[in-house]
Amino acid sequence: MHVAVVGAGVIGLSCAVRLAEAGHRVDVRTAALPADTTSAVAAALWYPYRAWPPAAVTRWAARTRDVFVRLAADSDTGVLLCSGRELLRSAAPLPWWADAVPDLRRLGADELPAGFIAGFAFRAPVVDMSRYLAWLQGRLESLGGEIVIRRLSTVDDVDGDAVVNCTGMGARELVGDASLVPVRGQVVRLANPGLTEWLLDEDDPTGVTYVVPRIDDVVCGGTADEGADSGDEDLAVEAAILFRARALVPALRDAPVLSRAVGFRPTRPEVRLEREDGGGRPVVHCYGHGGAGVTLSWGCADDVVSLLDRRH
Ligand SMILES: Cc1cc2nc3c(=O)[nH]c(=O)nc-3n(C[C@H](O)[C@H](O)[C@H](O)COP(=O)(O)OP(=O)(O)OC[C@H]3O[C@@H](n4cnc5c(N)ncnc54)[C@H](O)[C@@H]3O)c2cc1C
C-alpha cells in the first residue's frame, strides 16, 4: 500500500519506519520538522506517565522497552539504558505498569535521600531526542520513505491508499477531537557534570522533579500544567525547577544552563489507536499519548501496522 503518515514526531516517525519495514510505500506529511515537535522537548525517560488505559499502556510500554534495549547497543541511535530511582514521600504499592519492567525493585533504606521514605529502582531507556529523531528520520529515508512539510486541514487532504494520523495535539483541529487537553511541560537542560543515573520525585509538593542525564546534557524538569497554553519559557518556573533539581542532585549546583524548552503533552482519557473505514480508505488514528509518547512509541507502531494489514 501507499500509506500517508501525518505527523513527524516520535509517533509518526516510528509508525512510518515500521510501515516501511513491512513493505509499504510511506510518505510523511507534517506541519513541522521533527526537531520542532513536542517530541523534541521530551526528557525522554521511558516511564508511563499520564497515558491510559493501563492494560494497553503496559503492553505498549513493555514492547517499546524491549526495542529500546536493543537500540541502546547502537550508539548512533541516541538511546541509552540507565539505572535510576523513583523517590517517594509516602508508602506506595508497585506501579500499575510494573509488569513492563523486569528488574523493578523497592529501594532499601540506605538508598533513600533524606526526606524520602520509599521508592523504586530500575533500568530504563533514556532517549536523547536531539539524536534519536534524526536517527529515526535517517532510518525511514534508508527504507525509501520521505518527509514533506505540509499542514493538512483534513485527513482527506493527502494522497494514499491509507492514512495514519499521528498529529498529537494537532488532532484537536485535524479531526475535531475536543477530548485532547494540552498539559504544558517546561524543561531546562544543563551541562552534564558526569551523571549517569536518572532520578524522579513525582510527589514533591512544590512540583514534579526529574533529572535525566543524556549524552551531552542533563534534562531537568518539570511542570505539568493542564490546559496552560503559553509556549514561552517562564524564567521564574525555571528557577524553581533548578532549585528542586539541585537540591536532589547537588552535583548540578554549578552546571551551566545550555538550553530550555516548553512542550504540550497531548493528553486524553485514553490513547486513540483505532482504525476507521468509513471514508473509502482506512484511516488509523494514533495520538493522545500524554506524557509517554516516547515510552509507547514502538508498541503503538506495531499495532498500527497490524490494524492496517487487517482485512476489512
Ligand atoms: C516537558 C515534556 C517532557 C516529556 N517527557 C517525556 C518522557 O520523559 N518520556 C516520554 O515517553 N514522553 C515524554 N513527554 C511526552 C512526549 O513528548 C509526547 O507524548 C510525544 O512527543 C507525543 O508524540 P507525537 O508524535 O504524538 O506528537 P508530536 O511530537 O507533537 O508530533 C505531532 C506531529 O504532527 C504534526 N501535525 C500536527 N497537526 C498537523 C496537521 N494538521 N497537518 C500536518 N501535520 C500536523 C506536527 O507538526 C508534528 O510533526 C514529554 C513531554 C513534555 C512536553
Side-chain angles (χ1 to χ4, degrees):
M1 276 195 285
H2 173 200
V3 184
V5 174
V6 191
V10 70
I11 299 298
L13 291 180
S14 307
C15 290
V17 165
R18 281 291 184 262
L19 287 162
E21 286 171 348
H24 299 294
R25 193 182 122 209
V26 182
D27 297 330
V28 176
R29 298 287 177 267
T30 177
L33 284 172
D36 300 321
T37 60
T38 303
S39 298
V41 177
L45 175 66
W46 179 100
Y47 189 95
Y49 178 64
R50 287 186 181 239
W52 305 277
V57 164
T58 303
R59 180 171 63 79
W60 291 323
R63 170 78 189 131
T64 304
R65 188 180 184 284
D66 286 347
V67 176
F68 282 145
V69 168
R70 283 203 302 280
L71 292 180
D74 175 355
S75 60
D76 289 346
T77 61
V79 180
L80 307 166
L81 188 60
C82 303
S83 298
R85 284 175 290 164
E86 174 170 6
L87 303 168
L88 300 169
R89 289 155 195 271
S90 53
L94 288 178
W96 50 266
W97 41 263
D99 285 350
V101 188
D103 64 348
L104 186 135
R105 63 174 177 83
R106 287 188 183 276
L107 291 173
D110 57 334
E111 297 170 290
L112 295 169
F116 296 97
I117 70 152
F120 307 109
F122 56 97
R123 284 184 318 150
V126 168
V127 182
D128 190 327
M129 300 305 273
S130 67
R131 297 172 187 223
Y132 181 65
L133 290 171
W135 178 83
L136 274 179
Q137 180 171 349
R139 171 87 185 125
L140 174 64
E141 286 165 356
S142 75
L143 291 161
E146 64 161 5
I147 298 182
V148 173
I149 300 290
R150 222 183 106 209
R151 177 177 289 280
L152 271 58
S153 42
T154 79
V155 286
D156 301 327
D157 208 10
V158 68
D159 292 336
D161 306 313
V163 181
V164 181
N165 169 21
C166 306
T167 49
M169 274 311 304
R172 214 163 45 164
E173 285 77 42
L174 189 67
V175 293
D177 188 338
S179 71
L180 273 164
V181 174
V183 176
R184 183 183 184 280
Q186 182 167 333
V187 294
V188 51
R189 306 182 189 107
L190 304 181
N192 190 347
L195 304 179
T196 55
E197 183 200 34
W198 56 266
L199 279 174
L200 174 61
D201 173 9
E202 225 190 295
D203 51 17
D204 183 328
T206 61
V208 59
T209 307
Y210 50 84
V211 172
V212 181
R214 305 197 299 185
I215 295 167
D216 303 315
D217 57 14
V218 182
V219 184
C220 299
T223 58
D225 299 318
E226 233 167 82
D229 60 3
S230 168
D232 296 332
E233 292 91 3
D234 180 326
L235 291 183
V237 168
E238 178 176 306
I241 292 172
L242 285 173
F243 180 82
R244 297 196 304 272
R246 287 174 167 150
L248 199 58
V249 185
L252 289 173
R253 197 178 311 120
D254 300 319
V257 171
L258 299 181
S259 60
R260 45 180 65 91
V262 168
F264 298 93
R265 301 174 181 91
T267 304
R268 151 183 222 287
E270 295 193 345
V271 174
R272 185 175 185 199
L273 207 173
E274 67 177 344
R275 171 174 168 156
E276 283 186 330
D277 286 300
R281 62 179 174 178
V283 176
V284 175
H285 300 279
C286 185
Y287 63 83
H289 299 82
V294 181
T295 305
L296 308 180
S297 52
W298 289 113
C300 289
D302 285 346
D303 279 11
V304 165
V305 175
S306 305
L307 282 175
L308 264 189
D309 286 348
R310 192 188 74 193
R311 297 191 193 289
H312 291 264

